[in-house]
Amino acid sequence: MVADVEVPAGFVPQYAIAFGAVDGPATAVHAGNPLPVRAARQPAAAPPLAGSLTASGMAGPFVPELDRPIWVTLSGDWSGTVELLRSTDGGATAVPLTAGGAPWARFTANANEAVADESEAGATYHLSATLLGGTLTYRVAQ
């Protein structure tokens, strides 16, 4: 049973979170009456890695903010393989992403997907393209 807390009490004698108007009763927070707030996030400040390639090559680095999804967007009329690589040593070594030991974030067609969520400070991402033809337009961003 949920009970309202009446004014003029200067405190809320409940064992759970409650809220209310300044001059009104406090109401307990529960599934049917959630807190009237939402998490507010600022837009990501990490500059996107964007451009186009007409021949095989690497692009990067993309330096992500922590705890935000990383999106890869590929478009254009191209053929080949594009892969997102991750580095923890400033780009000296960049390795492909995997999930359960299988390739992850490897594409052979246009895509728009969240591929990673970084938690390690200093990690960077690089786009590796082996193009057989056409023009690839890419964007790695948060």
Side-chain angles (χ1 to χ4, degrees):
M1 176 175 194
V2 176
D4 289 343
V5 177
E6 297 295 326
V7 175
F11 61 95
V12 178
Q14 292 203 268
Y15 57 88
I17 298 175
F19 68 96
V22 174
D23 294 334
T27 304
V29 173
H30 53 82
N33 189 44
L35 279 173
V37 298
R38 67 177 177 86
R41 278 187 108 166
Q42 298 299 319
L49 170 65
S52 60
L53 292 170
T54 55
S56 297
M58 292 271 288
F62 172 69
V63 182
E65 290 183 27
L66 300 181
D67 301 321
R68 286 181 178 267
I70 298 169
W71 285 81
V72 171
T73 304
L74 306 174
S75 61
D77 184 17
W78 59 279
S79 62
T81 303
V82 177
E83 193 168 30
L84 191 66
L85 310 175
R86 181 177 180 267
S87 176
T88 57
D89 60 8
T93 307
V95 296
L97 277 67
T98 59
W104 182 257
R106 178 182 289 171
F107 305 94
T108 57
N110 290 338
N112 184 29
E113 294 184 25
V115 295
D117 195 347
E118 188 55 58
S119 62
E120 184 176 349
T124 59
Y125 287 80
H126 308 263
L127 202 68
S128 173
T130 304
L131 296 181
L132 302 174
T135 299
L136 166 71
T137 301
Y138 63 86
R139 186 170 194 271
V140 180
Q142 290 181 300

